[in-house]
Amino acid sequence: MQLNNYYSSQQWQKIQDFAAHKPSPFLVVDLDRVEFKYQELQQSFPMAHIFYAVKANPSCEVLRRLDQLGSYFDVASVYELDRVIGCGISPERISFGNTIKKAADVKYAYDQGVHLFVTDAQADLEQIAQFAPKSRVFVRVLVESGTTSDWPLSRKFGCDTQMAIDLMVKAKQLGLQPYGVSFHVGSQQNDVTVWRTALKIVKEVFDTLEQQHGIQLELINAGGGFPAQYLAEIDTIQDYAQRIKNYINENFQRKITLFLEPGRSLVGDAGVIVSEIVLISNKSEQDDKRWIYTDVGVFNGLIETLGEMIKYPIYTPKMQNNAPKSNVVLAGPTCDSTDIMYEKVPYQLPQDLKMGDRLYWLSTGAYTTSYASVEFNGYPPLRTFYLE
Ligand SMILES: *Cc1c(COP(=O)(O)O)cnc(C)c1O
């Protein structure tokens, strides 16, 4: 773990200066870094509309910064919708991107001015037609995110190719505007070729609708899935973009509209959770594996360590000067045995760590605050600070 693979010394200093005397645990998010990631993505995909997936970090600070940059927003519930509108963002910039929604939610969103909805089921489509008449709808297709995504989205969302076609035909019959096709390749997707597989499915839906039903779709919504920088090396966003643009050009000769729905890749690297070691212990005199318990855990910020899937880089100033290290288990503070972040993944930390020392969890800006429990064991949700 090399700190300078993650932050320039200037960026780190900014975070350090801020964090120095605040009681842990808390998350610090550097908004300039969010801006940088947004610009980088937009420059890599100049033709795309970027719909930030609000669930990754729904704070007004992040939403407003992205709004200033021209971002659009993907919401999954009426609560997220209220949040985005409440932060001063126009409903015209919002897409309702959850296939699972009540009729009342569709009506509420429509009344607020949202006219863009995803669907993957006939019953949902009928509700949209009834409560959000004439809206634009796009259909989500199933894509196997396989074993190459660190946080897969499974079969919960999307439908097969034939059903996607049928739903778009039905949308037209119901007076809606059949707009296009979406997919999500799985979050933290390490294999860019999954987009190629997905775009082949999209093409089949486009072609069949055009040739057999006279419906010309316009939108390709290529979802999220772009990576944040955790422990493992990742390809650059420019690499991803170049290849995905090639896949689009291979399949689509006419003009299309491209949406992206990044969450993790925009905010992940911008956050650092500052934590403190509460206890260091061994399970027996013979066992040399230290257990390090910190004041953050699965329930107050680090839920994506479940199954040890997301592997956050962990930094302590004691790592400098090649200090001797040894194996550790890392666990949170609550009375629940699932509150263990890493037991199988081999993390090593300096041997001279003491109780009270700080541990910094890097790249924790995404899916941390929004996932923290309300008061399990009395622990409050993760406090968060935003650096302008
Ligand atoms: C969660 C989600 C996203 C964001 O995914 P990331 O992998 O964080 O980029 C985008 N679109 C939809 C529909 C989602 O549910």
Side-chain angles (χ1 to χ4, degrees), residues 12-24:
W12 187 247
Q13 196 58 48
K14 183 174 165 187
I15 292 168
Q16 281 291 300
D17 288 347
F18 179 83
H21 300 292
K22 289 201 172 45
S24 74

Side-chain angles (χ1 to χ4, degrees), residues 218-235:
E218 183 184 325
L219 170 73
I220 300 173
N221 181 337
F226 304 101
Q229 178 65 63
Y230 299 122
L231 269 190
E233 289 233 357
I234 52 171
D235 290 338

Side-chain angles (χ1 to χ4, degrees), residues 53 55 74 97 140 184 187-188 224-226 261-264 367:
K55 71 177 187 286
D74 177 60
R140 177 148 169 191
H184 194 303
S187 203
Q188 189 73 8
F226 304 101
E261 290 176 346
R264 188 185 300 283
Y367 303 119

Side-chain angles (χ1 to χ4, degrees), residues 51-56 74-76 97-99 118 138 140 151 153 157 182-189 221-227 260-267 304 366-367:
F51 282 72
Y52 171 59
V54 170
K55 71 177 187 286
D74 177 60
V75 302
N98 193 345
T99 55
V118 72
F138 54 94
R140 177 148 169 191
W151 197 264
L153 297 171
F157 308 99
S182 74
F183 58 84
H184 194 303
V185 294
S187 203
Q188 189 73 8
Q189 179 53 262
N221 181 337
F226 304 101
L260 302 174
E261 290 176 346
R264 188 185 300 283
S265 68
L266 295 190
V267 291
E304 286 202 318
Y367 303 119

Side-chain angles (χ1 to χ4, degrees), residues 181 202-210 217 219 252 254:
V181 182
V202 177
K203 180 181 165 54
E204 197 179 332
V205 177
F206 268 59
D207 285 354
T208 309
L209 282 167
E210 191 161 343
L217 295 182
L219 170 73
F252 299 89
R254 68 174 166 85

Side-chain angles (χ1 to χ4, degrees), residues 190-192 227-229 232-240 243:
N190 296 299
D191 179 6
V192 66
Q229 178 65 63
E233 289 233 357
I234 52 171
D235 290 338
T236 64
I237 194 66
Q238 290 82 1
D239 285 338
Y240 275 74
R243 297 177 68 181

